[in-house]
Amino acid sequence: INDGEGHPSSSHQALKGTSKWATSLESLLEDPEGVKRFREFLKKEFSEENVLFWLACEEFKKTQGKKQMQEKAKEIYTTFLSSKASSQVNVEGQSRLSETILETPHPLMFQKLQDQIFNLMKYDSYSRFLKSDIFLNHKKSEEQEENSPEAQTAAKRASRIYNT
């Protein structure tokens, strides 16, 4: 038996939404809705630049062509890393990049800094997010949807189909 994406399915359904987000920061960041809610939370904590930097680095790794890489690297540097950055991230001073490295970009040039920010989010913001109203309210509304009469009726119809 495979799930909709051709992967073998387990005996119980794959985790979705807030249940999946609560398993790890990695799972949260793989879900566009999770990223949206986490950004909302970080904005309230005045640290949204962390997830924005992390996302920009992920996007940068996929960039093709030297010219595009140079442009994106410069954009990341001026937005998040330079001393005049509009959304400066808090990374260790010695880890800061000099502008000269922007001339010869490579996909993993921001990896060390991205890892620092990831760990900052993982061991600081993420645990607070899981206790936040944003997360808890979203979880509650998910549970209410699952327990709604429409959801139960659909589940009963599905079980009748598979049990006949």
Side-chain angles (χ1 to χ4, degrees):
I1 300 174
N2 289 330
D3 66 11
E5 295 171 88
H7 305 291
S9 64
S10 62
S11 56
H12 46 86
Q13 209 172 12
L15 296 175
K16 289 184 185 145
T18 54
S19 300
K20 188 176 179 194
W21 304 348
T23 60
S24 69
L25 179 57
E26 291 89 336
S27 297
L28 171 72
L29 293 172
E30 288 170 1
D31 183 341
E33 183 66 23
V35 169
K36 180 180 164 189
R37 300 296 174 169
F38 192 48
R39 279 185 64 185
E40 200 179 310
F41 169 75
L42 291 176
K43 198 178 281 188
K44 288 183 175 185
E45 290 215 331
F46 304 101
S47 59
E48 182 187 22
E49 67 279 358
N50 291 336
V51 75
L52 294 176
F53 173 72
W54 188 88
L55 291 166
C57 291
E58 284 297 291
E59 198 58 40
F60 177 76
K61 290 177 197 174
K62 300 172 193 164
T63 304
Q64 302 290 313
K66 187 178 177 186
K67 185 84 178 129
Q68 288 92 327
M69 282 188 107
Q70 283 177 323
E71 288 170 9
K72 277 198 176 184
K74 188 167 176 52
E75 186 182 318
I76 288 172
Y77 180 82
T78 55
T79 306
F80 301 105
L81 300 170
S82 91
S83 57
K84 301 177 189 102
S86 56
S87 298
Q88 193 175 33
V89 290
N90 184 13
V91 289
E92 292 176 24
Q94 70 269 24
S95 299
R96 286 203 176 276
L97 301 172
S98 68
E99 270 186 81
T100 53
I101 196 172
L102 300 176
E103 299 307 311
T104 54
H106 59 87
L108 300 177
M109 67 187 280
F110 297 115
Q111 190 63 54
K112 202 179 242 180
L113 302 175
Q114 185 185 15
D115 290 345
Q116 275 187 40
I117 292 300
F118 179 85
N119 285 327
L120 180 70
M121 292 189 300
K122 182 176 183 171
Y123 297 110
D124 185 41
S125 315
Y126 175 65
S127 55
R128 285 197 309 278
F129 171 70
L130 295 178
K131 298 172 191 153
S132 72
D133 287 345
I134 291 171
F135 176 81
L136 296 172
N137 290 339
H138 193 73
K139 184 178 180 179
K140 189 191 273 181
S141 68
E142 271 183 357
E143 289 166 354
Q144 286 170 343
E145 280 178 29
E146 285 174 15
N147 295 329
S148 72
E150 297 84 28
Q152 289 176 351
T153 304
K156 282 179 188 167
R157 274 198 308 270
S159 72
R160 275 199 305 269
I161 293 167
Y162 293 113
N163 293 329
T164 54

